[in-house]
Amino acid sequence: MVDSKITSPIVRNSELALLSQLDELRSAWQEYYSARAEGGLLALSGFEHQFLLTLLKIVRRWKEASEAERQEPNTAHQVLTEAISDIAESGVVVTLTQVKQTLSDSAVSKALEEFWEIFNLASERVPDFVKHLRFVISGKFEGDRNLSEVIQGWGIRSKRDQVEKLTVFKAYVSYELVTDPRTDLAVELENLSRDEDTETTIGRWLGYLLQIGSGIPPERVSGLVWRELRHDKSLEAFRATLARLFSQSRYRLRAVRYALGASLSLPRTDLLSQLQANVLAKRITLLIGPSGSGKSALCKLGMQTGFQDRTCLFLHASDIISFTETPNSISSRETRRFDELIAAQLIEKPVIIIDDLDDVDDQSFDSVLNLLQNVLAGETSTDVRFVLVAHLDAERSVYDKIVARFGTQLSIDIVRLPQLPIKELQSSNVLPDEVANLVQRANEFGPALNLKLLDWLISSVQRDAINASTFKNDLDLLTWFWCYHVGNGCEVTNEGQVLINTSLSLAEQFTPDLSLHNSPVDTKILYALVRRDCLRVVEGRIAVTHRFVGDCARFRYLLESRRQLEVSDLATKLRNPLWSQPMRWFALYLTLSQCAGLPCTLLWSRKRLKHGKNCFKKH
């Protein structure tokens, strides 16, 4: 409600008396009709049609003001005092307005019913105030009936014992027919934006509304504005941003396999139910699992079956930083900030899934935290859900970073995936016998035997009749993957070297992808790796398809470079989480080589270590 005591420099005693009586009526309304108190107390009733009318009045009045006047705070007060008439205009009378987008019989009846309740309440609590009340029904009438006849015919049957009072009430009721303000508002916006950035202009209007003390939170006002004005040309940048986000999401979904081999699919019912329950209950859910455990596939399955009534986006932290971290002052008019789209409620009931959160640098991680902070601080965030996907070894670090920013008061649920859903795999009864035997011995293979490798292995067994029963440990699986899946039957290939170099660059720069234009990779080799599901290329960027692929490539690099590596090199790599798994496999290789009594490829030189020499020595 507009408080005339602060917006007008001179307030007459009669107006003060009316405002006092109006305040008493407001308090009574809040007491007796608490469920509808918000709509009756706000300066803008919440009807979107009235909100558009109010904005149109403000735009036209603002356009008439000079630039000097626009810089004066009193001008904003004056604009709003003249424009906002939704709840009350005080003077000789106090006008209460009900605005409907279409004035059907039922809409008119609903407005009259509420006016009647206010009239009766005023008669009881502030009887001297009744003669100053006026009620206006505003909107576009549907049908060819006379609106005056509709008003006069209202309540005749249901209020027969109150005919005299009803007659007095209807004498205070009038109506005004208005057209849809959307077209006029679009024209005004287009004209105004020629002289001033439209986003800045709308931002100023919101600021003035809030400055007056309308009682509406900024996020709700922003949501009403953008939702109603999204068809205006000034919002093309927001629509372009939304389109790019959905495009990125769809690409990432296409890149996720949810079947093993040619046709074996796992329902994952229990995990899917757990994920769905957590997402609906908590605003942030951490989905944690080993590399290749099917985290991305579970999210995709959830989007297809569990969250059909929500708008889901499957993104990477690199998407978040590109849409969120660009300062408004230098951002292109072709895109807008991601958090603004959410705050404006242009994405309805969003579920934002951010994949591989731990495989990003600090800047990208901070962009995700900034997004969470900007969105969760708003009133409109109650329907927003975030699913943050990370690998098992990064659970603690990801959780600690979130807590460091938001504190422990932010409730976060964690859903953990096993490395292999062994029970589901064994009950499927469609695994090739040799692969089923590997699953039964899963504890012998460690993290190398995951769903991702199992997918490739099943396809190879079905196609090439590989004897998987000869695999004894992690290194057998890794050797098969490198030689037969990456190298197409050879251990040393150009494809393997490209994959190693790409994985090294990603780890050293700690980025989710690399520029394809700066890469000397031969086109044939590049797309051979793309067909083998080892690399992916999109929008001029190149990256490994999965962390397991990068882990194996970095492991092969350690084997090939073992004679040149120094202890200090390994110590440096161990501080980078992308090297943790390759280093474990490398240690396993050294241990098994020594235990088997084979000519060790690489041994520590005890003498050199004793003297502080950081190097490796060939046996």
Side-chain angles (χ1 to χ4, degrees):
M1 176 168 298
V2 177
D3 189 349
S4 298
K5 290 180 288 187
I6 66 170
T7 60
S8 179
I10 301 176
V11 182
R12 294 187 295 271
N13 289 336
S14 60
E15 291 181 357
L16 288 174
L18 286 177
L19 288 173
S20 176
Q21 292 172 326
L22 180 58
D23 284 339
E24 186 173 348
L25 179 59
R26 286 193 307 177
S27 298
W29 179 265
Q30 195 167 17
E31 177 183 353
Y32 285 96
Y33 301 96
S34 57
R36 286 181 284 163
E38 182 184 8
L41 294 176
L42 295 180
L44 303 178
S45 69
F47 295 113
E48 295 171 3
H49 189 69
Q50 175 62 21
F51 192 75
L52 287 171
L53 285 174
T54 303
L55 279 180
L56 184 58
K57 292 178 182 179
I58 294 174
V59 171
R60 288 174 173 168
R61 175 64 185 88
W62 185 254
K63 188 172 64 173
E64 296 171 358
S66 66
E67 184 60 33
E69 288 177 317
R70 294 182 189 183
Q71 303 302 321
E72 288 290 330
N74 288 337
T75 302
H77 289 267
Q78 184 182 4
V79 167
L80 286 169
T81 302
E82 294 177 1
I84 297 179
S85 60
D86 183 28
I87 297 301
E89 287 181 353
S90 59
V92 179
V93 298
V94 173
T95 303
L96 302 175
T97 306
Q98 277 274 12
V99 180
K100 303 295 183 182
Q101 187 165 348
T102 55
L103 292 180
S104 62
D105 285 8
S106 60
V108 173
S109 297
K110 185 176 180 181
L112 288 169
E113 187 65 41
E114 185 162 310
F115 281 156
W116 175 253
E117 292 171 347
I118 295 173
F119 178 81
N120 283 313
L121 190 61
S123 301
E124 177 185 346
R125 300 294 290 265
V126 280
D128 293 337
F129 183 57
V130 172
K131 61 179 177 292
H132 297 283
L133 280 173
R134 297 295 182 270
F135 304 99
V136 177
I137 301 175
S138 176
K140 181 179 179 181
F141 188 54
E142 284 185 343
D144 55 3
R145 293 182 60 189
N146 186 298
L147 191 54
S148 296
E149 294 178 356
V150 175
I151 295 174
Q152 292 303 317
W154 176 81
I156 292 178
R157 296 182 179 180
S158 60
K159 299 175 175 58
R160 291 177 179 175
D161 57 338
Q162 298 175 295
V163 174
E164 184 177 350
K165 192 174 184 180
L166 191 62
T167 301
V168 174
F169 164 68
K170 290 181 180 179
Y172 295 148
V173 178
S174 61
Y175 68 89
E176 61 178 3
L177 298 179
V178 297
T179 58
D180 187 348
R182 196 185 312 264
T183 302
D184 293 338
L185 186 55
V187 173
E188 297 289 358
L189 277 173
E190 187 173 352
N191 293 334
L192 193 59
S193 64
R194 294 170 183 169
D195 303 321
E196 186 174 35
D197 179 77
T198 308
E199 186 179 354
T200 302
T201 303
I202 295 178
R204 289 186 181 182
W205 302 340
L206 302 184
Y208 298 145
L209 288 171
L210 301 170
Q211 183 180 3
I212 290 301
S214 65
I216 300 183
E219 296 79 13
R220 181 177 172 192
V221 176
S222 178
L224 287 170
V225 171
W226 295 125
R227 190 168 67 247
E228 289 305 306
L229 303 183
R230 70 172 72 181
H231 299 298
D232 179 65
K233 291 182 178 180
S234 63
L235 298 184
E236 287 180 353
F238 280 81
R239 294 202 303 273
T241 302
L242 194 60
R244 285 185 60 194
L245 281 169
F246 279 110
S247 175
Q248 288 291 89
S249 180
R250 283 193 294 269
Y251 167 77
R252 296 189 185 282
L253 289 182
R254 288 197 301 269
V256 177
R257 282 181 52 82
Y258 56 93
L260 300 178
S263 59
L264 174 59
S265 60
L266 301 175
R268 323 240 35 198
T269 306
D270 293 342
L271 284 171
L272 188 60
S273 298
Q274 183 184 355
L275 178 63
Q276 183 177 358
N278 283 35
V279 169
L280 295 179
K282 301 291 184 179
R283 290 194 286 181
I284 298 180
T285 299
L286 290 184
L287 180 60
I288 302 295
S291 179
S293 58
K295 302 181 293 296
S296 301
L298 184 67
C299 290
K300 180 181 180 182
L301 187 62
M303 293 173 66
Q304 293 174 330
T305 61
F307 307 119
Q308 293 177 323
D309 61 334
R310 289 180 167 266
T311 304
C312 298
L313 289 172
F314 189 92
L315 303 170
H316 193 279
S318 60
D319 301 314
I320 307 301
I321 195 170
S322 65
F323 286 105
T324 302
E325 291 300 297
T326 304
N328 285 338
S329 59
I330 62 173
S331 64
S332 167
R333 293 185 66 86
E334 295 178 356
T335 60
R336 283 298 183 266
R337 291 168 60 93
F338 189 12
D339 50 355
E340 288 178 332
L341 292 180
I342 297 177
Q345 296 178 301
L346 294 185
I347 307 176
E348 298 180 359
K349 300 175 68 175
V351 176
I352 313 299
I353 301 170
I354 304 177
D355 198 26
D356 292 337
L357 183 59
D358 52 311
D359 287 352
V360 297
D361 57 16
D362 291 339
Q363 183 185 12
S364 296
F365 201 105
D366 285 341
S367 74
V368 175
L369 293 179
N370 292 338
L371 174 65
L372 293 175
Q373 188 167 8
N374 293 342
V375 171
L376 297 182
E379 184 182 271
T380 56
S381 70
T382 53
D383 270 341
V384 184
R385 297 292 185 269
F386 288 94
V387 179
L388 308 180
V389 184
H391 292 90
L392 182 64
D393 55 1
E395 176 181 342
R396 174 49 57 185
S397 63
V398 171
Y399 183 85
D400 287 347
K401 288 179 180 179
I402 296 175
V403 170
R405 174 70 71 92
F406 299 102
T408 55
Q409 69 273 13
L410 181 63
S411 180
I412 303 173
D413 270 5
I414 301 178
V415 176
R416 296 180 178 87
L417 268 63
Q419 181 177 312
L420 279 177
I422 294 180
K423 291 183 179 179
E424 283 188 84
L425 288 169
Q426 291 177 336
S427 62
S428 64
N429 296 322
V430 294
L431 288 177
D433 292 340
E434 296 176 10
V435 177
N437 179 264
L438 291 182
V439 172
Q440 291 177 350
R441 298 188 292 122
N443 61 328
E444 301 175 14
F445 299 97
L449 184 61
N450 52 52
L451 282 179
K452 178 62 70 173
L453 185 134
L454 208 60
D455 172 27
W456 293 320
L457 189 59
I458 292 173
S459 298
S460 297
V461 169
Q462 292 171 338
R463 182 180 63 249
D464 302 326
I466 292 176
N467 184 9
S469 63
T470 60
F471 298 157
K472 302 301 181 184
N473 52 47
D474 293 34
L475 301 182
D476 290 338
L477 286 176
L478 297 175
T479 299
W480 168 83
F481 169 76
W482 191 257
C483 294
Y484 292 93
H485 188 77
V486 177
N488 200 25
C490 300
E491 184 171 359
V492 180
T493 61
N494 291 330
E495 288 82 0
Q497 197 57 51
V498 167
L499 190 54
I500 287 175
N501 292 338
T502 303
S503 300
L504 291 179
S505 298
L506 290 171
E508 290 167 1
Q509 301 178 34
F510 215 77
T511 57
D513 51 25
L514 303 167
S515 173
L516 178 63
H517 305 295
N518 297 330
S519 172
V521 181
D522 179 82
T523 304
K524 292 183 179 179
I525 295 176
L526 175 65
Y527 286 100
L529 289 170
V530 170
R531 287 192 301 271
R532 292 169 201 168
D533 198 16
C534 294
L535 290 182
R536 58 178 172 82
V537 179
V538 61
E539 294 184 357
R541 310 293 293 181
I542 182 173
V544 294
T545 55
H546 196 271
R547 183 167 177 176
F548 173 79
V549 178
D551 286 346
C552 191
R554 289 185 286 275
F555 167 61
R556 297 300 302 190
Y557 165 77
L558 291 175
L559 292 184
E560 293 179 5
S561 308
R562 54 189 177 271
R563 295 180 180 86
Q564 293 78 37
L565 287 172
E566 295 187 355
V567 174
S568 58
D569 296 330
L570 297 184
T572 300
K573 295 184 187 308
L574 281 173
R575 290 194 289 269
N576 185 329
L578 293 179
W579 281 95
S580 60
Q581 187 56 56
M583 291 292 287
R584 291 171 188 159
W585 287 332
F586 188 44
L588 175 66
Y589 172 83
L590 298 179
T591 302
L592 290 180
S593 297
Q594 294 182 59
C595 291
L598 300 175
C600 288
T601 315
L602 183 65
L603 289 176
W604 291 99
S605 173
R606 297 180 180 177
K607 181 177 180 181
R608 294 197 174 220
L609 280 176
K610 183 177 181 180
H611 292 285
K613 300 293 185 179
N614 293 333
C615 66
F616 288 110
K617 184 180 180 181
K618 185 179 178 182
H619 191 282

